[in-house]
Amino acid sequence: MRTVDVATERLLKPYHRPLIRNAWYCAAWSEEISTDLFSRRVLNAPLLLYRTQNGEAVALLDLCPHKLAPLHLGAKVGDSVRCGYHGLEFDSSGRCIRNPQGNGQIPSGAKVRSYPLVERHGVLWVWMGEVERADTNKIPDFSFLLDAGRRTQRGHHEVACNYMMLVENLMDLGHAMFLHRQTGGVSDPSLAENTVEQTDAEIRDSRLHHDKPAPALFAPYLNSGNKVDFWTDIRWSPPAMVLNDVGCAPSGRGRDASGLTTLGAHFLTPETQHTTHYFYAHSRNWAQDKAQIDEVYTSWQRNALKAEDSRISEAIDSALPDALNSDVRMVMLSTDQSGLRVNQVLERMAAAEA
Amino acid sequence: MRTVDVATERLLKPYHRPLIRNAWYCAAWSEEISTDLFSRRVLNAPLLLYRTQNGEAVALLDLCPHKLAPLHLGAKVGDSVRCGYHGLEFDSSGRCIRNPQGNGQIPSGAKVRSYPLVERHGVLWVWMGEVERADTNKIPDFSFLLDAGRRTQRGHHEVACNYMMLVENLMDLGHAMFLHRQTGGVSDPSLAENTVEQTDAEIRDSRLHHDKPAPALFAPYLNSGNKVDFWTDIRWSPPAMVLNDVGCAPSGRGRDASGLTTLGAHFLTPETQHTTHYFYAHSRNWAQDKAQIDEVYTSWQRNALKAEDSRISEAIDSALPDALNSDVRMVMLSTDQSGLRVNQVLERMAAAEA
Amino acid sequence: MRTVDVATERLLKPYHRPLIRNAWYCAAWSEEISTDLFSRRVLNAPLLLYRTQNGEAVALLDLCPHKLAPLHLGAKVGDSVRCGYHGLEFDSSGRCIRNPQGNGQIPSGAKVRSYPLVERHGVLWVWMGEVERADTNKIPDFSFLLDAGRRTQRGHHEVACNYMMLVENLMDLGHAMFLHRQTGGVSDPSLAENTVEQTDAEIRDSRLHHDKPAPALFAPYLNSGNKVDFWTDIRWSPPAMVLNDVGCAPSGRGRDASGLTTLGAHFLTPETQHTTHYFYAHSRNWAQDKAQIDEVYTSWQRNALKAEDSRISEAIDSALPDALNSDVRMVMLSTDQSGLRVNQVLERMAAAEA
């Protein structure tokens, strides 16, 4: 009955696009997973995560193939998991190795699906798609997270929105001076040089402010009171990993080694079509031992990422049906170019999986 | 598989009928809306309500056309609203007047839908349908709400039912002596003269009790201990406005000016198909300065309208699937004639909008 | 797009099978129902249960045919129920006997559906299907529940799962040594003789352990320290009644009268497709006056039945969509034979009702 505006339909499409399966996702921070059984939903599949006694982390489907009992309600037996219902045991590859019931015969084909899981950069990366395509070279570089010369703070929370709302949020930092006005938003982004670069593996949105007074946060830790170049760069790797580089250096020196940088990692792992695990980290090469700067980033993670970005993203997700019911005609801004490119890449990936 | 009884299907139809769009609805009591941003859902659309500095109230769709952020999470800038996400500003007509992002260009067609809003009788009346059909002459007369000679008490709560359950509730006051038995139900309505009148603009259900002892509530404020005529009249204006006139006057004088009357306003504004804003007011021309009478009406609004009428209506709404699953054969009573007429009018209105 | 494994599809079918209507179900324990109005949902129909003044229990559909008000919100008038909304009165057969509104005429066909209800064994058995097929001879024998020579403890709770998960749970007691490991699981069931018998009216799964040391619970109440035969038998009656006989007797004497037995009743009455009323009782012919044995069964009902069986069944019900989304290939064990037979019987019953 109602006809939806064509532009609106196109702009809403990302939030309803099938989730990309052939990709690496952050399933957990390394320290979250021990030899205990741990349950987390990723791409709408319930995962069982744990470490074997030699420390290797594994990811199994968290469902017993006998009666569908969640395996995390069972127990560890050595490196195996024993279902808490009838006692079937599965080794860390998912193979059934014991049936304590009846004739004791292990049914042929009794196994739990195992997912490729790689530990790198302090992250457990899981591959939910076709196993033969799981190429660890495609995990983007987040080695700064384990750089001993940096101070890194990280955390995690869940957001009730499609992951693309958080990706788009990060691809356009222009929201900072409005959404994060109270929490420390940056100065007018329209003053910055803005370039967008795209390769097969990533999209970079770089913004450089030339020859400005040093931002208040960095100023006390620079060697001089001279003006600086200040940058806020974003690197997106498909489907849901964002590196955010915010820093400054003496004017004219560019993003060189002497600069102060805070590198942010943002992993937006879809839990379901409309809920997302938001893993975040901030890693700085300056004032590493200053508790008051720790507090700045703790507060930013709690207030800006959680209270502001996540709240507005949830409000938007809730409003999706309204956009269609109420004949909204959505519009794009020039600063949405990076987000548009991200969606074009993901649209191709989704089409290839269809 | 299951065949639904024809009468039942017809009697359940009103609760599933599409909501009428070309009509005035109470969006808020005047005093609810200030220059602050206020959000309320009407006819399943999220509305942003606020006043400009000169006091004029406006209703905009509460969605930014850029990324669908709810505008009420933003801020006022003069008479405009600034989106809390990327800072787009919209004037009180919904036109985008500022884009602080990137090249600063305002996208052609960037505007927020504005809804006709009229302030009258202390009510903000909104029109959710075709703008060119919004005729303010169709707002029914509730001027008594601002009558300085009357004492008026009003309020508002939400009910988890289709609005028609509350309309039908009011169209048959015979429920009072059962549902409101504890809260002050009237005497046997079958003793009353009952007439039903219908015009293009309203349906009136009038009940007059001749020559009765004055009802206990009114008796102390009458000039004599003589018998009275006592009436309980209902006037319905489509789609969801009800005026309830309860009063008494010396026997044989009819509903004349010397009578004591309490006029009730009941605005049943659909929030969604199965939730309703219930705005109510009671306005009396007697004992205007008596706190104990204020308390009678406060209690009635809290106990009869909220605890009793709304609770039973919510139970009925919850039971709708059961009526179909359990082969109920519904029946009508003679006292359902007014409700039947109301539904016939609304059925025609809905058909005209389909 | 996704193809579901054939075996998995077949094993999941029981949980989505339409509920069986032509059968007796436990609607309540006798003591739950008095002359007061009581509401409970059975097979997705809201039931009104109460007793007349001569003690006879009745089951009516808990919906007034006038406006669908739940009748349990009304009041008793003698043996009749008066709707709390407009005051229609229905006798205990469901016939409308009074209309206090308007012309007072009782609409032809104004009646509330009445369901056959039989009180036997301390249970109110309800028949939700075709009335003419309600044969009380089909109520299985649970007379032990009222046996004055036994001590019986019973209770009830709701479980958020399809009833078949609880039926299958009981048909394979092999889960006890894993799921109930903490709460007193029995020893290895693979040591037992296991027979499965099937008649038109029931399926029996019998497990006998020959010449074993007496189980710790029973040992103090046996006349000697000699070894015993120990059995854990299950009798299922369609669709949702299970009798569990756990006992022991001196070796070689079989299940004779001198044995100690605890008979369990488990009535799994579907509330909806995915919620179940779990009525349970334990009835022993030994240590009838020992409070510490009472506490053993109270604890078992609370911890094993409620915390363990019901929790795992709820987890499984929640996992049903995951089983399809995640390409699980389900497997059967030899001990699932009884459950398989139960499902075959129910599949035929459902087909006959389709």
Side-chain angles (χ1 to χ4, degrees), chain C residues 2 14 17 23-24 40 61 68 81 98 117-118 120 124-125 183 195 206 208 243 265 267 277 299 313 354:
Chain C
R2 205 176 279 278
R17 185 168 50 219
W24 293 102
R40 175 166 286 159
L61 186 65
L68 301 181
V81 56
R98 181 165 183 250
L117 191 75
V118 174
R120 189 180 291 179
L124 294 173
W125 300 96
T183 30
T195 62
S206 307
L208 187 62
L243 188 157
F267 306 136
H277 300 288
S299 168
S313 298

Side-chain angles (χ1 to χ4, degrees), chain A residues 10 17 22 30 36 40 57 72 91 139 141 145 155 178 185 189 192 215-216 218 222 243 255 309 321 325 334 352:
Chain A
R10 186 169 48 83
R17 186 168 50 219
N22 287 302
S30 284
D36 293 339
R40 177 166 286 158
H72 78 273
D91 70 14
I139 298 174
D141 182 12
L145 288 169
F178 295 98
F218 293 93
L222 288 161
L243 189 157
R255 297 165 173 84
D309 289 319
N325 290 338
S334 63

Side-chain angles (χ1 to χ4, degrees), chain A residues 19-25 42-45 47 59 113-117 125-135 239 349 352-353, chain C residues 2 325-327:
Chain A
L19 302 174
I20 308 295
R21 303 194 68 76
N22 287 302
W24 293 102
Y25 288 98
V42 173
L43 261 67
N44 211 21
L47 295 187
R113 182 170 172 181
S114 166
Y115 296 88
L117 191 74
W125 300 97
V126 72
W127 181 273
M128 304 297 293
E130 301 157 55
V131 175
E132 60 279 12
R133 296 185 53 190
D135 176 0
M349 292 176 74
E353 293 193 358
Chain C
R2 205 176 279 278
N325 290 337
S326 303
D327 287 334

Side-chain angles (χ1 to χ4, degrees), chain B residues 220-254:
Chain B
Y221 304 97
L222 288 161
N223 291 329
S224 80
N226 294 342
K227 290 194 173 177
V228 298
D229 292 342
F230 171 64
W231 60 88
T232 61
D233 298 349
I234 285 285
R235 180 197 80 188
W236 170 78
S237 306
M241 282 88 86
V242 172
L243 189 158
N244 175 212
D245 177 351
V246 174
C248 60
S251 289
R253 305 261 301 272

Side-chain angles (χ1 to χ4, degrees), chain B residues 133-298:
Chain B
R133 298 184 53 189
D135 176 0
T136 58
N137 290 322
K138 291 192 174 161
I139 298 174
D141 181 12
F142 282 93
S143 53
F144 71 80
L145 288 168
L146 295 185
D147 183 341
R150 309 185 73 90
R151 163 75 177 143
T152 298
Q153 299 169 266
R154 52 196 192 175
H156 162 260
H157 65 262
E158 290 189 41
V159 192
C161 71
N162 181 274
Y163 77 110
M164 282 310 301
M165 283 152 195
L166 294 166
V167 172
E168 292 180 354
N169 171 279
L170 288 158
M171 294 312 291
D172 178 14
L173 293 185
H175 72 270
M177 70 184 211
F178 295 98
L179 186 61
H180 306 316
R181 173 178 296 265
Q182 307 298 329
T183 31
V186 298
S187 57
D188 189 343
S190 65
L191 301 174
E193 263 187 34
N194 188 192
T195 62
V196 178
E197 299 162 276
Q198 184 166 355
T199 70
D200 279 356
E202 63 188 45
I203 292 173
R204 288 176 187 262
D205 184 306
S206 307
R207 297 178 185 209
L208 188 62
H209 305 247
H210 285 294
D211 204 30
K212 301 283 173 191
L217 182 63
F218 294 93
Y221 304 97
L222 288 161
N223 291 329
S224 80
N226 294 342
K227 290 194 173 177
V228 298
D229 292 342
F230 171 64
W231 60 88
T232 61
D233 298 349
I234 285 285
R235 180 197 80 188
W236 170 78
S237 306
M241 282 88 86
V242 172
L243 189 158
N244 175 212
D245 177 351
V246 174
C248 60
S251 289
R253 305 261 301 272
R255 298 167 174 81
D256 77 357
S258 70
L260 309 189
T261 62
T262 298
L263 300 174
H266 303 263
F267 306 137
L268 296 322
T269 305
E271 181 188 47
T272 67
Q273 189 73 29
H274 290 286
T275 58
T276 300
H277 300 287
Y278 190 161
F279 299 94
Y280 48 79
H282 290 92
S283 182
R284 65 186 189 266
N285 70 351
W286 53 280
Q288 291 93 328
D289 56 352
K290 299 294 185 209
Q292 70 269 34
I293 302 297
D294 281 0
E295 181 47 37
V296 166
Y297 284 103
T298 299

Side-chain angles (χ1 to χ4, degrees), chain A residues 308-320:
Chain A
E308 292 169 339
D309 289 319
S310 298
R311 183 181 171 215
I312 200 108
S313 297
E314 291 178 339
I316 289 171
D317 198 287
S318 299
L320 291 178

Side-chain angles (χ1 to χ4, degrees), chain B residues 34-108:
Chain B
S34 69
T35 53
D36 294 338
L37 301 176
F38 183 93
S39 168
R40 176 166 285 159
R41 185 171 290 269
V42 172
L43 263 66
N44 211 20
L47 294 188
L48 175 72
L49 300 167
Y50 69 90
R51 290 184 190 276
T52 61
Q53 281 159 334
N54 68 15
E56 190 194 6
V58 299
L60 302 177
L61 186 64
D62 188 20
L63 292 177
C64 178
H66 174 221
K67 290 284 182 184
L68 301 181
L71 291 171
H72 78 272
L73 297 179
K76 282 286 291 299
V77 178
D79 282 348
S80 299
V81 56
R82 185 178 64 211
C83 179
Y85 199 179
H86 297 89
L88 294 185
E89 283 178 35
F90 304 90
D91 69 15
S92 61
S93 76
R95 197 169 52 96
C96 182
I97 55 170
R98 182 165 182 251
N99 167 17
Q101 301 289 338
N103 62 14
Q105 197 181 318
I106 293 174
S108 78

